[in-house]
Amino acid sequence: MFARRRRNRGRADRLTLGLAGAAIATSAAAFAGQFARMARRRTAGASADTGVIETAEHALEAATLATQDTVTVAIEGYVAAPKGETILFNMLSGFVGGFALMRLSTWGIRNGWWPTSNVKVRGRHVHHFVPGILTAFAAGGAGLITQSDKLEQALALPFGAGIGLTFDEAALLLELDDVYWSREGLLSVQLSLGTTGLLAATLLGLRMLRRGERESEQAGLIPDETGEYAVPTPG
């Protein structure tokens, strides 16, 4: 029995690490792709001016400018996104962040390297679906009564995080038993919900980056594909 439980825990650890690695790799790939697009433009502009990028100094300068362009594109895309799209992106980002943080923290607590321990009230373990439900209810309720679009968009982050904390323990709620690290409590919840939220947030983020790229080009903030800057239209 002990050996079997140990094998299940080892499998849970590997799946947790796999999900964290997939999240980091997917997000990194999205921004790395955008950086590569910006770097090609900066390289094209430098080649047009000097004939070719000949030195490491030129390459470093192009990489620095491409990084700045990527940040500009991300900001412009986020700002230019419609309200509904921004709210959905914030909600999905909060969901993935809350979901991943809870998996990481519970794994760390169980293995003794996380800086905090399980929250207990009068000896009773308070599972994280409790603050998750309270956070989602509070953020959702505030979002319904607010008249501020910016506040409504900001509240989508804690709302999504609350959902992530709650859904992370969905198996416990369904089984009414602590099956968090069991095979039944891990595979379906961790992989399906985590992957779906991650992919949805990434796809929406890529759409924002493309919109930001167009907006930045038209405003003359970044060079176009030929390395040239557009002249902003007055008004």
Side-chain angles (χ1 to χ4, degrees):
M1 177 68 71
F2 179 76
R4 188 181 198 181
R5 184 177 301 175
R6 197 169 175 183
R7 284 196 302 271
N8 285 338
R9 286 186 175 181
R11 188 181 296 112
D13 289 347
R14 289 192 296 272
L15 286 170
T16 298
L17 287 174
L19 180 61
I24 294 172
T26 304
S27 301
F31 280 94
Q34 187 64 41
F35 171 81
R37 289 170 63 87
M38 298 298 99
R40 284 196 298 270
R41 297 185 181 196
R42 287 296 180 177
T43 302
S47 299
D49 294 336
T50 64
V52 65
I53 295 182
E54 299 176 348
T55 66
E57 183 180 351
H58 286 150
L60 180 60
E61 181 181 2
T64 301
L65 292 173
T67 301
Q68 295 174 354
D69 292 343
T70 302
V71 174
T72 298
V73 165
I75 294 173
E76 290 293 319
Y78 184 84
V79 171
K83 174 185 171 183
E85 194 170 303
T86 303
I87 289 176
L88 181 59
F89 178 78
N90 286 351
M91 187 171 66
L92 287 169
S93 297
F95 172 83
V96 173
F99 193 91
L101 178 62
M102 284 302 101
R103 281 286 161 177
L104 181 64
S105 64
T106 51
W107 177 48
I109 290 171
R110 192 162 56 88
N111 287 278
W113 54 264
W114 193 255
T116 60
S117 59
N118 289 323
V119 177
K120 292 186 177 181
V121 177
R122 295 182 179 179
R124 183 184 295 274
H125 177 201
V126 179
H127 290 274
H128 51 263
F129 70 78
V130 176
I133 292 173
L134 294 176
T135 300
F137 278 4
L144 288 173
I145 64 176
T146 184
Q147 300 297 317
S148 171
D149 288 346
K150 288 186 178 180
L151 180 58
E152 186 176 352
Q153 293 170 14
L155 286 169
L157 275 169
F159 180 75
I163 295 175
L165 267 63
T166 305
F167 271 53
D168 184 49
E169 292 194 312
L172 186 153
L173 293 171
L174 291 172
E175 297 290 337
L176 297 180
D177 191 15
D178 195 352
V179 295
Y180 189 82
W181 288 106
S182 70
R183 187 175 182 83
E184 296 82 0
L186 188 69
L187 287 176
S188 60
V189 178
Q190 182 179 14
L191 296 181
S192 63
L193 292 177
T195 303
T196 299
L198 175 64
L199 291 177
T202 301
L203 290 173
L204 195 55
L206 287 172
R207 179 171 174 171
M208 287 183 173
L209 287 174
R210 293 294 173 267
R211 181 183 291 108
E213 192 174 306
R214 292 194 301 270
E215 295 284 338
S216 300
E217 281 182 16
Q218 294 171 4
L221 298 175
I222 64 172
D224 59 21
E225 293 183 358
T226 64
E228 300 293 331
Y229 284 90
V231 178
T233 303

